[in-house]
Amino acid sequence: MVNLKASWFAEDLEQYGNPTALRLLSAHRQVINFTAEAWPHLLIVAAPGPGKGPCTIGLPEAEFFRLRAAVGTIGSGRFGKNLVSLTAGGKCIRINWRAGNRICLAPVYLGSTDCGRLKKNTEISRAVLKVMNLPTASAVLLGSAGGDRYFRSAIDLYFPRLVHALQTRDRQEFMKSCRNLIGMGRGSSPTGDDLIHGALVAFHYFDFDPEFIDALRMEVIDAAGQTNFMGRHMIETGLRGLTPEIVRGFILALAGDKTDPEDVLAASGIGSSTGYDVVIAILYFIEKLINKN
């Protein structure tokens, strides 16, 4: 038996009291992704680094690479209240995930932030992105070049409608726009899913209405079944206002005295284009909210 101890874990994992079966989805240099039978999102095991996020267990470097070395032989798995148990090459690997530090990524309501300060910081952030060669079709929301023409046209049509529907509490229009964006684009999580995530997270921080989210939840999760596992993960965590720590820091900086361009660059650096999509969606949501008010 191999026993591993987490160095940290995302607080949202504590909501799960009942065990669920796990299946290995994919392994990468710094993260290993599992699907969970009872959840609409992933369980992620991560190496040390800046990538703290929801639904994630962080391992010390040596222990992560012990697990990573066994990936090719992992068969069945199980998530429990205190342990993740995996069968690998005839051996049992157990991760004591509660041994680590608890990381809280819950959204903080910032709707009372001074509009002048928020406007200035979103403009600074937009300016940082405008001078970059963006690798994503969501650049169309900034009026910048980037990405496939077809995806740019679809984003330009449906994402503004989705944001407007969130801000006016129009459930029917939100779902119509959502269905047209889900699964759209390239990447491990499609661009459309990343944009939905960013809009939902911004909603939690700046315009939160729990009744509206509750009314959408099951219909959105059902629709998210049309995209891949990572895209579904992004949408489901967005419904709860959960986002990687580095994006959370960027959002908190937007409500602070002054946004540092480094905050924008750090949050934008997630994945090949996911960070750009999420940041652009957040900025777009805030700009429309300021203009609406």
Side-chain angles (χ1 to χ4, degrees):
M1 182 178 293
V2 178
N3 291 303
L4 309 176
K5 290 185 178 181
S7 53
W8 62 270
F9 67 91
E11 184 182 62
D12 55 277
L13 289 173
E14 291 186 320
Q15 70 180 295
Y16 299 112
N18 296 323
T20 186
L22 298 175
R23 182 175 66 84
L24 177 68
L25 176 64
S26 62
H28 309 275
R29 190 169 63 89
Q30 291 198 302
V31 296
I32 301 170
N33 299 316
F34 295 89
T35 60
E37 186 176 68
W39 311 343
H41 58 78
L42 302 177
L43 173 69
I44 301 171
V45 179
K52 292 184 174 69
C55 318
T56 302
I57 298 165
L59 293 179
E61 185 173 32
E63 300 206 353
F64 177 82
F65 285 106
R66 286 183 73 187
L67 178 62
R68 181 69 180 78
V71 155
T73 63
I74 289 178
S76 60
R78 198 160 187 82
F79 177 92
K81 189 173 182 180
N82 298 300
L83 298 173
V84 169
S85 302
L86 304 168
T87 301
K91 295 182 179 180
C92 180
I93 300 175
R94 298 199 310 182
I95 303 171
N96 183 346
W97 62 270
R98 283 184 180 265
N101 296 321
R102 180 189 294 108
I103 303 295
C104 177
L105 298 171
V108 178
Y109 184 64
L110 302 171
S112 59
T113 303
D114 177 75
C115 283
R117 179 195 305 167
L118 198 54
K119 182 178 181 181
K120 179 183 72 174
N121 287 336
T122 55
E123 287 174 349
I124 290 170
S125 301
R126 171 186 272 267
V128 172
L129 294 173
K130 284 280 286 183
V131 298
M132 298 175 68
N133 183 20
L134 299 174
T136 173
S138 67
V140 69
L141 298 170
L142 299 174
S144 299
D148 181 277
R149 181 182 298 178
Y150 172 79
F151 295 137
R152 285 173 63 89
S153 296
I155 290 167
D156 198 31
L157 176 62
Y158 293 112
F159 188 71
R161 292 181 181 181
L162 180 137
V163 168
H164 181 73
L166 267 178
Q167 294 180 356
T168 59
R169 315 297 192 260
D170 186 335
R171 177 178 172 180
Q172 184 175 354
E173 182 57 40
F174 178 86
M175 288 310 308
K176 180 180 178 182
S177 302
C178 197
R179 289 191 180 95
N180 279 287
L181 289 169
I182 285 174
M184 189 201 67
R186 301 185 175 90
S188 58
S189 57
T191 301
D193 303 335
D194 293 337
L195 288 171
I196 293 168
H197 173 91
L200 288 168
V201 168
F203 181 76
H204 276 79
Y205 277 83
F206 295 101
D207 194 30
F208 189 46
D209 181 341
E211 291 184 2
F212 188 64
I213 286 292
D214 286 345
L216 291 174
R217 190 177 308 279
M218 295 312 299
E219 199 170 359
V220 172
I221 289 174
D222 181 64
Q226 302 305 307
T227 188
N228 63 21
F229 285 111
M230 185 58 74
R232 189 173 69 179
H233 173 85
M234 292 297 290
I235 292 169
E236 201 281 333
T237 54
L239 275 168
R240 293 185 284 154
L242 299 175
T243 197
E245 187 177 52
I246 203 162
V247 175
R248 188 176 190 269
F250 164 69
I251 295 171
L252 295 176
L254 287 173
D257 292 333
K258 185 178 180 181
T259 294
D260 188 325
E262 290 300 318
D263 294 325
V264 187
L265 296 174
S268 299
I270 300 171
S272 59
S273 63
T274 289
Y276 292 110
D277 297 329
V278 171
V279 167
I280 289 169
I282 290 168
L283 294 176
Y284 186 92
F285 184 96
I286 292 171
E287 289 166 355
K288 295 304 177 184
L289 187 64
I290 290 172
N291 291 337
K292 175 174 172 276
N293 294 335

